[in-house]
Amino acid sequence: MSDFYEPYTRLIRILILGRAFEVPENNLLLRQMQYVATDIGTGRYCWNGECRYCEISYRRDAAGPELPALACRIKGLPDMRITKVAFEIKYNMSEALAAAPKVD
């Protein structure tokens, strides 16, 4: 476990742009993204909500409404579906997204 992450005991599944990832529970979504795509750590993120490079849209479940958020301000939840991401996230996660299993 790295000093970057809040304490966690298990990994949870989240979906990012239709791809499944296992990430540490109890962490901010941007940190969870960094767990599977280390390039997030070298991105241009401010980590405090000012830059807006981590803007996303998400659903809490498949049938829920699409909600806007900043990935540096919300915690990822089991089976959360991130449906849209800012260009910076998509760029930093491009390799991880290409390698991750696709989910309907």
Side-chain angles (χ1 to χ4, degrees), residues 21 36-39 89-100:
F21 294 95
V36 295
T38 57
D39 285 350
I89 291 174
K90 195 168 192 177
Y91 177 78
N92 289 138
M93 289 196 70
S94 60
E95 289 180 26
L97 287 166

Side-chain angles (χ1 to χ4, degrees), residues 14-52:
I14 62 172
L15 305 174
I16 303 173
L17 302 178
R19 306 289 180 154
F21 294 95
E22 297 289 322
V23 298
E25 67 179 349
N26 191 40
N27 276 268
L28 293 172
L29 186 57
L30 195 56
R31 285 287 180 216
Q32 291 172 325
M33 292 175 174
Q34 184 180 6
Y35 183 80
V36 295
T38 57
D39 285 350
I40 294 284
T42 60
R44 300 182 298 169
Y45 309 101
C46 65
W47 296 89
N48 64 13
E50 292 179 8
C51 72
R52 314 221 30 106

Side-chain angles (χ1 to χ4, degrees), residues 55-67:
E55 287 184 314
I56 62 156
S57 294
Y58 74 99
R59 288 187 167 101
R60 290 190 181 118
D61 56 49
E66 192 167 89
L67 304 167

